[in-house]
Amino acid sequence: MREEEVEKLRGVVRDCVTKHLYSSAIFFADKVAAFTNDPADIYMQAQALFLGRHFRRAFHLLNASKIVLRDLRFRYLAAKCLEELKEWDQCLQMLGDAKVDEHGNVYDSKDVNVMYPDEDGEDREINISSAICFLRGKAYEALENRAQARLWYKAAVKADPLCYEALECLIENHMLTGEEETSLLSSIQFGPEDDWLTSFYSCLIKKNDAENVVEGKFIELEKEGYNYNHSDPSFAHTWKNNTDLLVCKAEYYHQCGEYQKCFELTSALLEKDPFHMKCTLIHVAAATELGHSNELYLMACSLTKDYPEKLTVRTPSFFPLCRALSWFAVGCYYYCIKNKATNHDGTFAPAWIGYGNAYAAKEVGDQAMSAYRTAARLFPGCHLPALYIGMEYMRTHSFKLAEQFFMQAKSICPTDPLVYNELGVVAYHKKEYDKAVCWFEKTLAHIPSALSEIWEPTVVNLGHVYRKLKMFNEAIKTYEKALTLSTRSVSTYAGLAYTYHLQDNFAVAIDMYEKALWLKPDDKFCGEMLAIALEEGAHRGMDPKLEYR
């Protein structure tokens, strides 16, 4: 066989791979490798076997070659075969010895003298060392050594910022706190042409900054673009309508408690890209907060149909996440209709937290705490497990323990207003009213957007504390502020009525008690206090109805 014929066969193999005709690729690659015995052709044959899912055979071919320990391509592909075979210890052994420090810097690596031939062409490639670091991280995570996995994922991103999968694992698995994510991002050496990527990554990490800072990041990225026809502005392109960027916005709206805004955005995005997993997750979460049980039912049915539990051996690796999301949606639906929820994947953070919330809603504290503790162990960069553990302790009046976990949640995420609200509630129950005022004021200061109805209980709580401190005028102003957020809160009218009652302003107090009872006729406190106010008003020689008029 002449050299030009061999080269044509190589072209056939590449074309078969492009057209996903893997059996054909394997057949012709085998003939080329047998004829030439060239390492490049052996590697091409192993690639074809790997793509055809013949992992054991591909590994044997690579391992049998004498070049496997001297060529990083061979070693990496052999390790990928072991990854697919779930032989994680052997995978790490194949990747070789290396150490990484807390900042993701690799040292004591034995790969410095190992060759890695540069590919011909002008396409930009991801550093092979970054890919190897990422694979080490996956292996350690599979072996449940999440501390080492976290370090190797950091090393992968630092070795090459284009290794997005490593950053995705760090973010989605909540392996880093917000401060650690920011520190990692600032340590990455981006290329001069990667300004857009720097902005995009800054939008992906935890959004704990003030509203104007976060919105500024979105605006800056939306302005990024290019114009390949400078004479015609209509050819200009930007990231403004990019789905991933809009999903980041939706996630931020959910974080701010603007659930309706979030739901509307995810609804529009899912019409354009109905199988975007991150968008679907946020959409399900927003629908749960809004109580849209019909939407959750339809989503759950659709997801379980598209991603059923029983799948073939050829299932791609991302399908377990899809299945987890399917059953998470089912659990959210049952949670929404006050039934028992479930989880399906031990590495899916929302499922563990949702699982705990479902038990907490049923007041089954032991199971709820078990789920939250598991989530805290698996996702150390997420503050929600510690927050919910604190809430469970508060439900059982263990206020000191609750405060400890709230402080732990605060150390992980110092900008979540809900954490400060719960600390304020703990201080109120401990009769530390000055401290409670401080925490509730911090809550309102940390709300990243304008006050909405969701924060009305916090404003009411602040009013209660002012009343306890006998700062009646401040309490009245605070209650009235709460009424601008919601006019259907019994607690607000009751607090306002009781404050006026303490000031001996019986006419207004009686009116407020009656408004509270109109909303909740069987409210015991308001009923009893209304009777007392009427009696005390009568003893003072005052006709409440006449004076109020």
Side-chain angles (χ1 to χ4, degrees):
M1 189 182 294
R2 295 192 302 273
E3 179 60 32
E4 55 268 23
E5 293 175 340
V6 173
E7 187 57 41
K8 284 183 179 180
L9 276 182
R10 291 189 184 112
V12 169
V13 174
R14 290 191 289 267
D15 186 60
C16 289
V17 168
T18 303
K19 292 183 169 66
H20 307 286
L21 301 171
Y22 298 127
S23 292
S24 299
I26 292 168
F27 177 82
F28 290 110
D30 173 68
K31 306 308 172 284
V32 172
F35 184 79
T36 67
N37 202 32
D38 186 287
D41 293 327
I42 295 172
Y43 181 76
M44 182 175 68
Q45 182 187 2
Q47 280 275 35
L49 288 168
F50 180 86
L51 293 170
R53 305 188 70 80
H54 298 281
F55 305 120
R56 189 74 66 181
R57 186 179 170 194
F59 175 73
H60 177 75
L61 175 66
L62 292 163
N63 204 34
S65 68
K66 296 180 181 179
I67 200 173
V68 67
L69 297 178
R70 294 186 291 112
D71 190 324
L72 282 180
R73 295 177 307 165
F74 277 65
R75 186 190 297 182
Y76 176 68
L77 186 55
K80 288 292 291 182
C81 292
L82 292 168
E83 175 200 8
E84 294 292 341
L85 294 168
K86 310 301 179 189
E87 297 179 2
W88 300 109
D89 288 316
Q90 293 91 326
C91 176
L92 286 171
Q93 187 177 354
M94 175 57 65
L95 290 172
D97 295 328
K99 295 180 181 178
V100 61
D101 64 20
E102 181 62 32
H103 304 290
N105 301 311
V106 181
Y107 61 99
D108 283 354
S109 176
K110 305 297 190 296
D111 296 335
V112 289
N113 296 319
V114 176
M115 64 180 183
Y116 177 66
D118 292 331
E119 294 286 342
D120 295 330
E122 298 179 355
D123 291 341
R124 187 175 176 185
E125 295 183 353
I126 291 179
N127 192 316
I128 186 69
S129 298
S130 176
I132 288 174
C133 290
F134 174 65
L135 186 51
R136 278 197 181 101
K138 289 186 71 177
Y140 278 117
E141 187 171 15
L143 292 169
E144 298 188 359
N145 188 340
R146 292 176 63 85
Q148 278 294 310
R150 179 175 65 91
L151 297 180
W152 283 110
Y153 287 148
K154 288 170 70 174
V157 181
K158 293 188 74 170
D160 193 332
L162 296 185
C163 189
Y164 165 75
E165 289 178 80
L167 183 67
E168 184 181 40
C169 286
L170 289 168
I171 294 172
E172 298 302 324
N173 294 338
H174 300 282
M175 290 184 163
L176 304 175
T177 64
E179 185 179 345
E180 289 172 334
E181 287 180 357
T182 304
S183 175
L184 173 63
L185 200 59
S186 64
S187 68
I188 297 175
Q189 295 181 351
F190 290 94
E193 70 278 22
D194 292 334
D195 287 345
W196 70 271
L197 188 61
T198 309
S199 301
F200 219 118
Y201 280 1
S202 69
C203 290
L204 292 175
I205 63 174
K206 289 182 175 67
K207 303 162 188 67
N208 296 332
D209 297 319
E211 180 186 16
N212 61 326
V213 176
V214 178
E215 292 288 352
K217 289 180 181 179
F218 288 131
I219 293 171
E220 179 185 353
L221 191 53
E222 286 172 355
K223 290 179 179 177
E224 287 277 354
Y226 70 96
N227 186 351
Y228 57 82
N229 187 344
H230 295 285
S231 61
D232 187 352
S234 65
F235 283 90
H237 292 266
T238 68
W239 302 113
K240 189 173 183 179
N241 295 318
N242 178 260
T243 302
D244 285 340
L245 179 60
L246 293 174
V247 168
C248 284
K249 271 192 171 183
E251 186 179 31
Y252 178 63
Y253 292 149
H254 185 273
Q255 179 181 311
C256 295
E258 298 184 19
Y259 302 121
Q260 186 60 40
K261 202 171 180 179
C262 172
F263 183 78
E264 290 171 359
L265 180 55
T266 53
S267 297
L269 288 173
L270 288 174
E271 287 185 10
K272 184 171 71 170
D273 188 353
F275 300 103
H276 194 292
M277 290 296 102
K278 182 72 176 288
C279 185
T280 303
L281 172 61
I282 298 169
H283 185 73
V284 168
T288 304
E289 292 288 353
L290 294 170
H292 292 344
S293 57
N294 288 343
E295 177 69 14
L296 287 169
Y297 177 77
L298 293 173
M299 290 293 296
C301 290
S302 176
L303 286 166
T304 50
K305 177 185 175 183
D306 292 330
Y307 306 109
E309 182 174 3
K310 293 183 179 179
L311 298 167
T312 64
V313 178
R314 298 175 66 85
T315 300
S317 59
F318 70 89
F319 267 84
L321 173 62
C322 301
R323 291 205 309 272
L325 179 55
S326 302
W327 291 104
F328 175 68
V330 173
C332 286
Y333 166 69
Y334 283 119
Y335 178 82
C336 195
I337 63 171
K338 310 303 180 188
N339 209 329
K340 183 180 176 181
T342 185
N343 80 314
H344 195 71
D345 185 347
T347 61
F348 190 54
W352 278 113
I353 294 170
Y355 198 44
N357 288 350
Y359 277 119
K362 291 284 186 179
E363 297 188 358
V364 186
D366 291 342
Q367 287 90 333
M369 293 289 263
S370 177
Y372 294 144
R373 288 194 179 103
T374 301
R377 177 175 58 83
L378 292 175
F379 315 108
C382 181
H383 71 291
L384 294 177
L387 176 62
Y388 288 129
I389 289 172
M391 287 180 176
E392 277 302 295
Y393 276 125
M394 193 159 61
R395 187 176 64 83
T396 58
H397 304 290
S398 302
F399 298 121
K400 287 187 177 180
L401 283 171
E403 186 175 30
Q404 289 177 15
F405 279 96
F406 290 146
M407 292 302 291
Q408 181 181 332
K410 175 178 170 289
S411 68
I412 298 172
C413 182
T415 57
D416 186 352
L418 184 57
V419 175
Y420 293 98
N421 180 76
E422 298 307 309
L423 283 166
V425 174
V426 167
Y428 180 88
H429 283 296
K430 292 171 68 178
K431 302 186 186 305
E432 298 173 350
Y433 299 123
D434 289 324
K435 189 186 287 187
V437 168
C438 178
W439 287 127
F440 287 134
E441 287 179 344
K442 283 188 176 182
T443 302
L444 299 176
H446 278 85
I447 294 171
S449 56
L451 271 181
S452 60
E453 186 176 349
I454 191 174
W455 296 108
E456 181 262 350
T458 300
V459 180
V460 174
N461 287 340
L462 181 58
H464 291 336
V465 180
Y466 281 138
R467 191 193 71 240
K468 287 285 188 181
L469 292 170
K470 301 187 185 306
M471 300 168 65
F472 298 130
N473 292 333
E474 287 81 358
I476 290 170
K477 289 178 183 177
T478 307
Y479 287 133
E480 288 175 345
K481 184 178 181 180
L483 286 175
T484 64
L485 302 176
S486 174
T487 58
R488 300 192 59 82
S489 172
V490 175
S491 180
T492 308
Y493 285 114
L496 197 54
Y498 190 46
T499 305
Y500 279 118
H501 194 158
L502 292 171
Q503 290 184 310
D504 293 337
N505 191 339
F506 300 111
V508 181
I510 289 168
D511 180 57
M512 292 300 165
Y513 284 134
E514 288 177 342
K515 286 183 177 180
L517 289 168
W518 182 79
L519 292 170
K520 188 180 179 183
D522 59 345
D523 188 282
K524 187 176 179 181
F525 172 80
C526 290
E528 291 176 355
M529 294 307 298
L530 175 61
I532 293 172
L534 287 168
E535 183 179 349
E536 290 181 350
H539 287 161
R540 300 287 177 90
M542 151 308 255
D543 182 349
K545 291 183 180 178
L546 184 61
E547 184 171 321
Y548 179 67
R549 286 175 190 162

